Amino acid sequence: VQLQASGGGSVQAGDSLRLSCAFSGRAFSTYHMGWFRQAPGKERESVARITRYGVIEYYSTSLKGRSTISRDNAKNTMYLQMNSLKPEDTAVYYCAAGNVAGYNYWGQGTLVTVSS
């Protein structure tokens, strides 16, 4: 399994971004998927999770109401639409794949920089 996160960039506060996570390997539809982020000097945190069945099971408090996680099993891709971005959203965003026991596979991360 390999994961490739993309879609990050440098934006202004209030802008939107859509992150993508391209999955290659065994059946994408059998994996639970998640987005995580790590800001400079901070620990990695979970920001959104979606089950293999397409059920959204978690949004972090910081992104809830401003983001939407989704997946397209036909395209082997997961997305994170983020709106009304804030400087505190600046971080490297990672995607991960796994099962109910945890996430086994991680992408390389895509950098999101939000300036005020």
Side-chain angles (χ1 to χ4, degrees):
V1 172
Q2 290 187 322
L3 302 173
Q4 180 76 40
S6 63
S10 296
V11 297
Q12 299 289 319
D15 287 349
S16 298
L17 278 176
R18 188 176 80 156
L19 306 183
S20 299
C21 177
F23 174 103
S24 60
R26 294 187 299 137
F28 174 65
S29 63
T30 67
Y31 287 91
H32 298 312
M33 300 294 295
W35 285 101
F36 296 75
R37 71 183 184 186
Q38 186 166 21
K42 295 187 178 181
E43 294 186 354
R44 185 176 62 198
E45 62 172 335
S46 175
V47 296
R49 299 196 295 265
I50 187 167
T51 71
R52 57 180 288 191
Y53 307 107
V55 176
I56 298 169
E57 62 175 7
Y58 176 79
Y59 284 113
S60 67
T61 301
S62 58
L63 281 180
K64 196 170 187 178
R66 299 190 292 121
S67 62
T68 303
I69 186 173
S70 62
R71 63 189 295 162
D72 186 337
N73 288 347
K75 295 182 178 180
N76 287 358
T77 303
M78 175 181 64
Y79 305 97
L80 182 67
Q81 175 70 42
M82 299 189 293
N83 302 318
S84 302
L85 284 162
K86 304 176 181 180
E88 51 263 44
D89 295 320
T90 295
V92 178
Y93 285 72
Y94 299 89
C95 57
N99 53 42
V100 293
Y103 293 95
N104 310 97
Y105 304 101
W106 294 82
Q108 86 292 352
T110 185
L111 177 62
V112 173
T113 303
V114 185
S115 56
S116 57

